[in-house]
Amino acid sequence: MPDFKRKSPEEILQSIHALYTGRLKIIIGAISGSGKTYHMLRDGQTLKSQGVDVVLCAVSTMQRPETMEQLQGLERVPSIHWRYGDGSERKDLDLDAILARNPEVLLTDGLAHRNRPGAANANRLDDIRFLLEKGISVIATVNVYELQGITEMARKLIGIEVKETVPADTLELADEVRLIDVTPEALLARIEDGLLKNMPDKSLFSRGNIGVLRELTLRLVAEGVNGSLLKYRDEQGYVGASGTAEHILVSAQYHWNGSIHIRRGQQIAQRLGGELSVVTFVNPGEKLGPEREEFRRSIRKLCEKIGATLHEIHIRSRRDIPPTLVRLALEQNVSRIVIGHSNQTRSQEFFKGSIVAEMVKCMRNVDMFVVADRSAGGGERILPTKRKEPLQDPAGPYRRLSEEQAGRKIEEITRGRFKVYIGAAPGVGKTYTMLREGNILRKKNIDVVIGLLETHGRKETQEQVSELELVPRAVVPYKGAQLQEMDTDAIIARDPEVVLVDELAHTNVPGSVNKKRYEDVIRLLNAGISVISTLNVQHLESLNDNVEQLTGVRVRETVPDSLLSLADEVELIDVTPKALQERMRAGRIYAREKVDQALGNFFKTGNLIALRELALREIADDVDERLESWERKTSLRGPWRREEVIFVAVTMSDNAERLIRRGFRIAYRLKAPWHVCYIPDGACAIEQERERIEQLRRLTRRLGGSFDLGERVPARRLHEELLIRADARRCTQLIVGQSRRSRLYRLLFGSLTRRLLRTARHMDLLVVARFDHAAQVKKDE
């Protein structure tokens, strides 16, 4: 709805001032050598080709061939050279020369650089602020560990000492922040090839250290993107969780178990990479006794220690708690409420009402996690535990391998390497980067071919094909037409060292050997051929529901998440939404006649911000998983508990797939086995039920879970059958969906969730809320 409110004089002055102020773009990377300067210069070349006046000053190419190539045609303003105390050469910006030249855009390295003694400004950041005020836009680079706050974290995690830093809020000054991602493997390969010379911090270059800094960078940029998304949603008037980031809200009492619930919430928030808040409820007319006052002090102290926001809310009655919790959750963009089991008897619940049971009824787009009752035998799992190391066989190196073990080792040795470039949306540059890497490998005399390429008519992408050999596609007859697909047999017969394969999630033409392109890729890998491929984050199976919630679009072509685990390297190609939309308007992504439609649908600002955050967080989690697999001592996401087992109960409803995907994502983060169980209820025809069961079984197996089909039991015994099966597998967390049964059905047969709340107190219970689009409507509707 248009805003007809008149701007204040201050707002008008601010808007006019912004017209004359330069723009700041910061290119951030995990470490020196990640490619920040290369991409900054590429941005400069792109702007120059568009007629923008661009110069550079104090740019350090480190004599890297690819970076130096990007200097061609760009004008350089000489920098001021001086010697540091240790004799090293330093370069300061010559502000007078830059002002005299007065370009539209300045490119410069080293945002955290300190200037020479006696300079007009103490550091480069202040120089840049000065230039921005003069109407000169700046593109600059920075390493993540040069940001105060991250500096201290990096020192604790990997022991790096950083002398030159910028304030923690520096990224907030930028109009645009772009992340240049690089895998440890790619960076170490650059060093081995002699492409990274004169490195200032060689001690950092171990796989684990690079991984830690990479994860810190991904999560930092994701937090910034989340801030942009929340601001955008607030401007649009939307409430509730966006579906990209986790925000955990713990409902705690001033009671002995309050701190237990908060610690459990802290563990969940850490493992999911989310924010943590705590809410307590007090009756203003009721005076707290000495014991509750002591619990109040201890909970406040705990929240302060773990960095959780604490809300103390006044209520008149217990019955006010459920609606207040739901309202607070929507206002605070909460994705999951953590709460304890009711300690009331059935008769007390009948007369006074149960907070937990009432919450199940009124939840809207917020899941509810009910913590196992410590007194029911689950206490040893509630507090975070230290990570247990696997038992080592003392004779390990000398133990003879079995035939099966030897076979697996040989398969790993002979299998090709697999690298995936992933992005938030079409047009970010995945295919371009894949082709660029193919050309770099070709220059090293590695045999590279293109197995499947989709340029979509993009000139820059087509130019990157260069001299790469293209394997002709296979012709597949379908309904009287001749369609083309990747010719996997021809690639295997050609037997290159590396093959480039675009659009990993593509569904092949019916009649092809494999249904999906990723299955063709697995076949190539098993044939000993390395594969470099591309994928958009929305095509990951487990994110299907999140993407639909964010964009309103149900993505039909998906790949199992295990494919990322199969990859030796996963690298993010990051582009800001504004830059992507500018590419779209310039006709560099789709044909011009499709631009308006795309910008009004999938490429809307809100969608692109949300998908970018989703991609950043997904790759950050992937990095963390890899770091843990390398047996790093600590995890950025906190300790994980090996004894976790997840049990998902599903029905024939259309919410079943959502529960299965949720179960997978939770199990994946906890490194836990997981099971899906369906117990027939006779709600539909036998043939229809069989077909539906097969669909759910396929999805479960596709995501790596086990599917359990039970025997039909009366509705009033369903909870007993579920618990028997869950306990038989020693499950610690039971996942069910919010009921869609009518009130009449619940009166006649009772509520499954309420029965589980009474009988499954020894395990955690996650109730996944139905997604309601109406709960995300604008505030003024």
Side-chain angles (χ1 to χ4, degrees):
M1 188 175 183
D3 185 4
F4 292 100
K5 186 179 178 182
R6 178 180 290 148
K7 288 184 177 180
S8 67
E10 291 78 11
E11 289 173 327
I12 293 172
L13 285 173
Q14 285 176 357
S15 299
I16 293 172
H17 180 262
L19 294 175
Y20 295 96
T21 302
R23 288 178 55 82
L24 174 60
K25 178 175 180 177
I26 296 176
I27 297 179
I28 187 171
I31 197 168
S32 299
S34 57
K36 302 180 298 298
T37 304
Y38 171 88
H39 285 278
M40 177 182 71
L41 293 172
R42 265 197 71 202
D43 284 352
Q45 294 285 7
T46 300
L47 290 171
K48 185 185 175 189
S49 70
Q50 295 168 353
V52 178
D53 183 17
V54 181
V55 302
L56 58 93
C57 184
V59 169
S60 301
T61 64
M62 298 290 185
Q63 301 301 305
R64 295 164 194 164
E66 278 193 314
T67 307
M68 291 179 70
E69 282 178 17
Q70 294 298 319
L71 287 172
Q72 295 178 10
L74 290 176
E75 181 185 342
R76 183 193 295 267
V77 173
S79 55
I80 298 172
H81 291 243
W82 60 285
R83 294 276 175 188
Y84 195 60
D86 60 3
S88 59
E89 186 182 42
R90 312 278 286 172
K91 298 177 184 177
D92 287 1
L93 294 178
D94 189 334
L95 295 181
D96 291 335
I98 294 169
L99 288 178
R101 174 60 181 76
N102 194 27
E104 290 179 276
V105 178
L106 170 73
L107 312 179
T108 187
D109 265 327
L111 194 64
H113 170 86
R114 284 184 192 166
N115 290 336
R116 67 199 182 281
N121 296 309
N123 53 60
R124 184 155 298 162
L125 180 58
D126 287 343
D127 286 346
I128 288 171
R129 284 181 168 136
F130 172 76
L131 293 172
L132 295 174
E133 286 294 322
K134 298 297 181 181
I136 298 173
S137 295
V138 179
I139 304 178
T141 64
V142 72
N143 290 314
V144 70
Y145 52 80
E146 293 168 335
L147 294 165
Q148 290 169 11
I150 301 295
T151 301
E152 182 62 22
M153 199 179 299
R155 187 186 64 78
K156 288 180 180 178
L157 290 169
I158 63 175
I160 179 176
E161 297 293 342
V162 183
K163 295 179 180 178
E164 297 184 329
T165 63
V166 291
D169 62 353
T170 298
L171 296 187
E172 296 173 23
L173 302 174
D175 299 279
E176 189 177 342
V177 176
R178 183 185 176 193
L179 164 67
I180 304 302
D181 187 34
V182 65
T183 64
E185 293 79 4
L187 200 55
L188 292 172
R190 291 177 194 176
I191 294 171
E192 190 176 333
D193 293 339
L195 298 175
L196 302 183
K197 299 174 182 177
N198 306 316
M199 299 306 298
D201 34 29
K202 292 178 183 177
S203 62
L204 290 179
F205 287 86
S206 70
R207 188 169 67 159
N209 286 351
I210 297 168
V212 170
L213 293 172
R214 184 186 178 203
E215 184 178 352
L216 286 172
T217 313
L218 287 159
R219 295 202 186 281
L220 177 70
V221 177
E223 285 302 315
V225 175
N226 181 251
S228 300
L229 181 60
L230 293 178
K231 181 181 177 183
Y232 174 85
R233 285 171 61 82
D234 189 58
E235 288 170 351
Q236 297 298 311
Y238 288 98
V239 295
S242 66
T244 58
E246 295 281 354
H247 184 173
I248 312 302
L249 177 65
V250 181
S251 177
Q253 299 178 6
Y254 293 140
H255 190 255
W256 66 270
N257 61 7
S259 60
I260 292 175
H261 296 161
I262 294 171
R263 285 290 191 186
R264 189 71 171 106
Q266 178 198 14
Q267 190 181 48
I268 293 168
Q270 280 184 323
R271 202 66 204 159
L272 300 181
E275 188 180 344
L276 179 65
S277 299
V278 177
V279 61
T280 62
F281 296 96
V282 294
N283 188 328
E286 179 187 352
K287 187 177 180 181
L288 297 181
E291 187 179 42
R292 289 189 69 195
E293 277 289 1
E294 183 57 38
F295 284 129
R296 181 192 225 172
R297 282 192 292 272
S298 66
I299 282 177
R300 285 180 173 176
K301 189 174 180 180
L302 175 60
C303 289
E304 185 177 337
K305 179 181 177 181
I306 64 176
T309 306
L310 177 62
H311 307 270
E312 185 177 274
I313 296 178
H314 290 178
I315 54 164
R316 294 288 178 186
S317 162
R318 283 170 49 87
R319 295 185 185 275
D320 293 337
I321 293 178
T324 305
L325 260 177
V326 171
R327 176 181 55 76
L328 184 65
L330 286 172
E331 289 174 356
Q332 300 290 326
N333 306 306
V334 166
S335 57
R336 185 179 303 194
I337 294 172
V338 175
I339 197 168
H341 275 281
S342 171
N343 57 6
Q344 298 184 107
T345 63
R346 291 185 67 174
S347 59
Q348 286 175 323
E349 284 186 11
F350 181 81
F351 289 107
K352 295 183 178 180
S354 164
I355 293 172
V356 179
E358 199 61 36
M359 284 294 302
V360 171
K361 287 195 290 185
C362 66
M363 288 184 329
R364 298 170 72 200
N365 296 358
V366 181
D367 298 343
M368 186 173 71
F369 187 95
V370 187
V371 179
D373 186 352
R374 192 174 190 179
S375 62
E380 72 279 2
R381 293 188 314 98
I382 291 175
L383 292 174
T385 62
K386 291 185 178 179
R387 175 176 170 176
K388 298 175 185 176
E389 296 300 329
L391 293 174
Q392 299 293 325
D393 183 352
Y398 301 97
R399 186 81 68 190
R400 182 180 291 135
L401 296 176
S402 67
E403 286 296 321
E404 184 182 350
Q405 289 171 326
R408 283 200 300 266
K409 291 284 185 184
I410 292 169
E411 188 178 304
E412 289 174 11
I413 293 167
T414 57
R415 180 178 159 276
R417 282 187 63 81
F418 185 28
K419 181 171 184 176
V420 178
Y421 285 108
I422 194 166
V428 297
K430 303 179 300 297
T431 305
Y432 176 96
T433 309
M434 177 184 72
L435 291 169
R436 178 171 157 251
E437 181 165 3
N439 279 303
I440 291 170
L441 292 173
R442 185 178 172 277
K443 289 176 183 177
K444 297 179 184 178
N445 295 319
I446 293 173
D447 185 15
V448 184
V449 301
I450 298 173
L452 195 288
L453 177 64
E454 298 287 359
T455 66
H456 299 287
R458 296 165 194 164
K459 182 183 174 184
E460 286 182 324
T461 304
Q462 187 62 50
E463 287 173 352
Q464 280 297 310
V465 173
S466 188
E467 297 178 20
L468 290 170
E469 178 186 340
L470 183 64
V471 177
R473 300 188 190 193
V475 177
V476 183
Y478 179 66
K479 292 185 177 180
Q482 300 295 309
L483 303 178
Q484 294 184 336
E485 286 292 358
M486 182 171 73
D487 195 335
T488 309
D489 289 332
I491 295 169
I492 291 173
R494 168 65 177 72
D495 194 28
E497 291 177 272
V498 180
V499 61
L500 311 180
V501 180
D502 221 353
E503 299 186 358
L504 200 55
H506 171 80
T507 302
N508 291 334
V509 176
S512 301
V513 175
N514 291 314
K515 183 179 178 182
K516 302 287 291 187
R517 186 168 290 161
Y518 74 81
E519 293 171 323
D520 293 330
V521 164
I522 292 172
R523 188 180 162 205
L524 292 170
L525 292 169
N526 290 336
I529 300 170
S530 294
V531 178
I532 302 175
S533 192
T534 64
L535 180 72
N536 285 324
V537 71
Q538 64 264 29
H539 293 293
L540 287 173
E541 177 67 57
S542 72
L543 293 178
N544 203 258
D545 305 301
N546 301 64
V547 172
E548 184 181 24
Q549 178 180 336
L550 291 165
T551 67
V553 176
R554 172 65 71 175
V555 176
R556 300 299 172 189
E557 293 191 315
T558 60
V559 300
D561 293 56
S562 58
L563 207 64
L564 287 193
S565 301
L566 181 66
D568 299 281
E569 294 180 67
V570 180
E571 193 164 301
L572 176 69
I573 306 299
D574 181 47
V575 172
T576 62
K578 187 169 183 179
L580 197 57
Q581 288 172 331
E582 286 171 359
R583 289 185 189 180
M584 176 70 74
R585 292 187 185 96
R588 293 165 59 196
I589 299 178
Y590 296 144
R592 291 190 182 275
E593 59 269 17
K594 296 181 180 179
V595 169
D596 289 340
Q597 182 184 357
L599 289 172
N601 292 286
F602 194 79
F603 280 77
K604 288 189 292 191
T605 300
N607 288 356
L608 295 179
I609 296 173
L611 288 170
R612 185 187 182 204
E613 182 183 349
L614 209 59
L616 286 160
R617 293 188 185 280
E618 193 64 23
I619 302 305
D621 285 348
D622 180 78
V623 172
D624 203 88
E625 293 295 328
R626 291 172 193 273
L627 286 168
E628 287 185 339
S629 71
W630 299 339
E631 296 192 359
R632 183 162 58 88
K633 291 180 181 178
T634 57
S635 165
L636 268 66
R637 293 182 294 159
W640 50 276
R641 303 169 301 172
R642 291 177 182 272
E643 71 271 21
E644 287 277 14
V645 181
I646 310 301
F647 191 87
V648 185
V650 298
T651 64
M652 291 290 100
S653 76
D654 55 6
N655 200 39
E657 284 91 347
R658 187 161 178 257
L659 288 175
I660 291 170
R661 293 187 188 103
R662 185 64 59 88
F664 160 75
R665 290 192 69 78
I666 290 169
Y668 174 71
R669 283 178 165 87
L670 295 177
K671 292 180 168 43
W674 62 291
H675 311 272
V676 175
C677 180
Y678 169 68
I679 297 175
D681 59 2
C684 57
I686 293 176
E687 194 57 40
Q688 184 183 352
E689 188 175 47
R690 276 196 199 127
E691 184 180 338
R692 184 74 174 125
I693 288 170
E694 193 51 40
Q695 288 174 347
L696 300 179
R697 192 196 305 272
R698 279 199 302 268
L699 177 61
T700 302
R701 289 179 175 171
R702 180 175 157 96
L703 289 171
S706 65
F707 189 84
D708 184 12
L709 179 61
E711 298 290 332
R712 184 177 175 182
V713 296
R716 291 186 180 276
R717 283 198 52 237
L718 181 57
H719 67 291
E720 296 174 4
E721 185 67 16
L722 283 172
L723 282 181
I724 288 170
R725 292 176 179 274
D727 287 337
R729 287 161 180 76
R730 299 190 176 185
C731 293
T732 58
Q733 188 175 147
L734 176 60
I735 300 176
V736 297
Q738 189 177 15
S739 176
R740 295 189 178 187
R741 301 289 192 184
S742 66
R743 188 172 182 183
L744 178 61
Y745 182 94
R746 292 199 301 271
L747 285 171
L748 292 174
F749 301 103
S751 164
L752 171 64
T753 308
R754 292 197 71 158
R755 288 194 177 106
L756 288 172
L757 285 169
R758 284 195 294 268
T759 57
R761 299 174 69 96
H762 60 293
M763 63 177 69
D764 295 330
L765 179 65
L766 176 65
V767 184
V768 177
R770 299 188 303 271
F771 179 66
D772 178 12
H773 282 282
Q776 291 225 346
V777 298
K778 297 183 179 181
K779 297 172 186 173
D780 56 354
E781 290 182 354

